[in-house]
Amino acid sequence: MGRGDLPVVDDRLGGLRPERAWGLGAQAVPSDAMLSFGWAPDGERLVLVDAPRGASEGPIQIVDVATGVVTHLGSQASNVLWSPDGSIVYLTKGTLRRYRPGTLEDLPLTDPADGRVLAPIAFSPDGKSVAYAATDAQSVSHLWIVNLDIRTRFRPPGLDDPADHPAWSPDGSRLAFRRLVAGAPALWIYDLSGTGSTAYRRLAPLDITGAAWLNDNSTLIAGTGAGKTAALYRINVFSAGEAGGVVKVTGSKDAPNGLAPATPGYDRRVAFVGMVDDLPQIFVMNGDGSRPQQLTEWEADFPYTGLAPNWTTTG
């Protein structure tokens, strides 16, 4: 919500004020900020990065939501995620590493020679692979996929253009990403079962800042722009070039703009950040763009903004 708090809201109850799941201590609020967080597969714990304000990295912590007990991992990171297989993957100094809470094993997944890894980092649904972008010596970003079990990594065959912002389909068969061809950005799909040029398909001329799939494996919610100019689009990956294949779903009175789309695996809703009176707040809407609802609102007794929506894994 704010940079130092992690609230939880059950949007099904409508209008319920978010409950505080974790927050910085009173002494830390002026000096610290939260850089990243993610849910454990059981939905009962959080992994997060608590860093000094202005710092690019900070200590990784695990928080038990029910008890508030905090466990410190002893590692620093700028970005952290909890894999569906129970391990923790984190980004530190441009390198991805994997930490196994059960064995305390902590090993690198990427080689700095391949480039500096950038967020966002995307897990495949089975937790066996991670997609990410890394910048080379010429500051050009390239898409990579790493297998977590055997720690092998590869660039999708034939994809030599700059690419980033990966997002896996729920069945793990496709990867959405931003691709720059001759400097022009667009939303593309990589079909892992395809070969050669048939494995890649251009969906829309959108300069995406993020993307999230609905659980039907055929619909994408893509974000573009920033601040008040940010917008969300719904894309049917099988008919993107036809009428109704790409539809802008923000820009209305109830959802004036939108960025940072996030979707759960268990239904067809979308959470996103909307700018209200120049302040970011959390919204949800149906996957078709209907019934947008603002979940958080700055008030005298609730002086928080809303950032980085993240659905629980268990519903």
Side-chain angles (χ1 to χ4, degrees):
M1 192 75 67
R3 295 190 66 183
D5 291 273
L6 274 176
V8 177
V9 61
D10 187 341
D11 68 288
R12 295 167 297 184
L13 299 183
L16 178 67
R17 175 150 295 179
E19 297 180 2
R20 193 170 187 245
W22 179 87
L24 296 171
Q27 294 180 339
V29 168
S31 60
D32 287 14
M34 195 181 335
L35 297 184
S36 176
F37 75 98
W39 288 96
D42 59 16
E44 297 178 357
R45 292 166 295 163
L46 289 160
V47 62
L48 58 90
V49 176
D50 170 16
R53 289 185 184 269
S56 60
E57 296 196 350
I60 303 174
Q61 304 177 24
I62 295 176
V63 178
D64 186 300
V65 176
T67 65
V69 173
V70 177
T71 303
H72 295 264
L73 265 60
S75 299
Q76 301 269 323
S78 58
N79 194 274
V80 65
L81 302 102
W82 213 317
S83 168
D85 73 357
S87 63
I88 292 170
V89 170
Y90 65 96
L91 178 60
T92 177
K93 295 180 173 60
T95 298
L96 277 182
R97 299 185 66 90
R98 185 191 198 190
Y99 172 79
R100 295 178 181 269
T103 63
L104 307 184
E105 179 186 67
D106 192 333
L107 296 172
L109 294 173
T110 60
D111 188 331
D114 295 335
R116 186 176 183 86
V117 178
L118 307 171
I121 303 155
F123 276 112
S124 62
D126 60 9
K128 295 181 179 180
S129 299
V130 171
Y132 61 93
T135 57
D136 61 19
Q138 287 72 45
S139 298
V140 176
S141 61
H142 294 284
L143 205 61
W144 289 80
I145 297 175
V146 60
N147 183 294
L148 294 179
D149 290 332
I150 58 179
R151 303 212 320 271
T152 58
R153 56 195 177 279
F154 65 93
R155 282 169 53 179
L159 182 60
D160 297 323
D161 296 312
D164 53 20
H165 295 300
W168 289 95
S169 63
D171 64 3
S173 67
R174 299 178 183 87
L175 194 66
F177 62 98
R178 184 181 72 153
R179 182 179 186 180
L180 284 79
V181 179
L187 173 63
W188 284 70
I189 292 289
Y190 169 45
D191 188 333
L192 277 73
S193 64
T195 58
S197 60
T198 63
Y200 300 96
R201 190 152 46 91
R202 183 179 183 269
L203 293 185
L206 297 175
D207 188 4
I208 68 168
T209 56
W213 291 76
L214 296 184
N215 63 0
D216 60 7
N217 289 293
S218 64
T219 309
L220 270 168
I221 303 296
T224 65
K228 290 183 176 180
T229 65
L232 296 181
Y233 292 81
R234 185 186 76 245
I235 300 105
N236 185 319
V237 302
F238 298 113
S239 61
E242 302 174 9
V246 179
V247 178
K248 186 179 179 182
V249 292
T250 56
S252 65
K253 177 179 177 295
D254 293 329
N257 48 66
L259 66 156
T263 55
Y266 42 82
D267 66 18
R268 291 173 53 81
R269 284 176 295 169
V270 182
F272 62 97
V273 176
M275 297 298 295
V276 179
D277 297 327
D278 294 321
L279 296 173
Q281 298 294 347
I282 303 298
F283 288 71
V284 294
M285 65 181 174
N286 292 333
D288 61 1
S290 64
R291 296 187 63 192
Q293 177 187 7
Q294 184 176 340
L295 292 185
T296 64
E297 183 176 0
W298 182 286
E299 296 176 351
D301 60 344
F302 191 73
Y304 294 98
T305 56
L307 298 168
N310 195 322
W311 295 88
T312 64
T313 54
T314 58

